[in-house]
Amino acid sequence: MPGPGEQIFEEAADALLSRRNAVALTGAGISVESGIPAFRGTQGMWEKYDPMEYATIDAFFRDPEKVWSMLSEMVDLLARASPNPAHVGLADLERMGILRSVITQNVDGLHQAAGSRKVIEFHGNAEELVCLSCWTRYPSRAKILEGIPPRCSCGRILKPDLVLFGEPIPWTAQDEAESEADSCAVLLVIGTSAQVTPACEIPRLSKRRGAFIIEINPEETPLTRMVTDLHIRKVASLAVTRILETIRRVLPPS
Ligand code: OAD
């Protein structure tokens, strides 16, 4: 018999084991326990930096130095972060043949660092910098060490290869994410406020295709009452760890 409060992890584990073919959609909340603040909410980045002034492509064209004052804080946080048990748990689920892929809105690379192999970076990543004038690309880390804002050899200030508001989603990521969302049997939605389109359409697409939607988030989101089948109102590391423990109790050791 599951203990009090354990039932919900059993239900999630059951759905994953009986249906397999799962995909995860992750947002900033999964990396909060790695020390990277989320965007929205009282401790969020957008409390300190107005996204209209610091996170749009127009803002970058207008005043790239100002946008870099926010980006440099972000780059600093990312450099110090490492995967937490939620990232590691998703990589384990992939190795066990239960999770097919991770679609992430995050640019922190922590899923890959945790060992996930199939990661779709919906909003790009912070690994490379690109010149919007001559399109030369540079590895972020080395270039940033030369000084902030980093500059191209042509003199222009470089932009990280992540999606700012007003920029399109990289088409391969959009295409792959849609195909994964379209064909999965379970979608694990972890740590996203589901307020930014088109990423927040992914759970709706999976739901229309008959997938079972498990949402892991201490808060409610616009998905919770309309789209979610099972809401685990816990932080990501605890929820993913508990689900994995339950699955491991049932599955024979490989
Ligand atoms: P948000 O900051 O909007 O939402 C983070 C969500 O994570 C919230 O719903 C929190 O309740 C939840 N959360 C916080 N801590 C958590 C934890 N430990 N475990 C689980 N959940 C937790 O982040 P996103 O939804 O990812 O885009 O934001 C989407 C996009 O908006 C970002 O990719 C970024 C941003 O502006 C661009 O910059 C284009």
Side-chain angles (χ1 to χ4, degrees):
M1 276 283 282
E6 294 298 308
Q7 182 73 36
I8 197 149
F9 305 118
E10 300 262 339
E11 278 179 52
D14 268 2
L16 288 165
L17 279 173
S18 59
R19 295 170 175 241
R20 305 266 165 157
N21 195 16
V23 167
L25 169 68
T26 65
I30 197 169
S31 296
V32 164
E33 292 163 271
S34 293
I36 304 172
F39 294 100
R40 294 169 185 81
T42 44
Q43 313 272 307
M45 288 286 279
W46 300 156
E47 273 287 297
K48 188 163 166 193
Y49 298 105
D50 176 351
M52 289 303 115
E53 278 182 51
Y54 289 91
T56 69
I57 189 64
D58 286 347
F60 190 83
F61 280 126
R62 208 167 43 238
D63 192 348
E65 263 129 342
K66 182 172 174 178
V67 173
W68 263 105
S69 66
M70 180 273 293
L71 288 172
S72 64
E73 181 178 332
M74 195 191 260
V75 164
D76 227 38
L77 286 162
L78 300 192
R80 280 184 274 130
S82 48
N84 68 55
H87 299 104
V88 175
L90 292 185
D92 287 348
L93 284 173
E94 186 183 359
R95 271 191 292 274
M96 292 159 95
I98 295 171
L99 188 77
R100 215 167 61 189
S101 61
V102 178
I103 305 165
T104 188
Q105 296 164 83
N106 302 341
V107 299
D108 54 30
L110 292 182
H111 287 298
Q112 292 91 330
S116 284
R117 278 167 304 207
K118 173 93 176 143
V119 181
I120 300 165
E121 295 180 310
F122 206 73
H123 289 162
N125 64 59
E127 285 284 291
E128 283 194 321
L129 305 174
V130 58
C131 175
L132 298 181
S133 186
C134 65
W135 302 105
T136 307
R137 304 174 81 86
Y138 299 86
S140 295
R141 223 167 261 191
K143 200 69 192 168
I144 283 166
L145 286 176
E146 291 173 15
I148 288 195
R151 283 183 188 273
C152 182
S153 55
C154 77
R156 182 144 183 181
I157 295 178
L158 296 161
K159 186 185 96 63
D161 200 18
L162 48 78
V163 175
L164 294 172
F165 286 111
E167 287 191 289
I169 304 301
W171 72 266
T172 41
Q174 169 102 38
D175 204 43
E176 284 178 11
E178 270 174 23
S179 132
E180 291 295 283
D182 206 40
S183 55
C184 67
V186 179
L187 186 75
L188 277 166
V189 182
I190 309 178
T192 177
S193 63
Q195 288 186 36
V196 174
T197 53
C200 68
E201 295 303 329
I202 290 169
R204 293 184 178 89
L205 172 58
S206 299
K207 179 79 175 183
R208 280 199 298 276
R209 294 298 188 167
F212 186 79
I213 314 293
I214 302 173
E215 186 175 18
I216 299 175
N217 196 318
E219 307 291 335
E220 283 201 358
T221 73
L223 301 174
T224 311
R225 285 162 198 265
M226 308 293 287
V227 179
T228 300
D229 294 296
L230 189 68
H231 181 200
I232 305 181
R233 219 178 169 133
K234 303 280 183 204
V235 295
S237 62
L238 183 144
V240 174
T241 302
R242 287 287 165 78
I243 294 169
L244 257 173
E245 283 168 3
T246 312
I247 288 176
R248 286 193 171 117
R249 273 203 301 274
V250 178
L251 276 186
S254 53

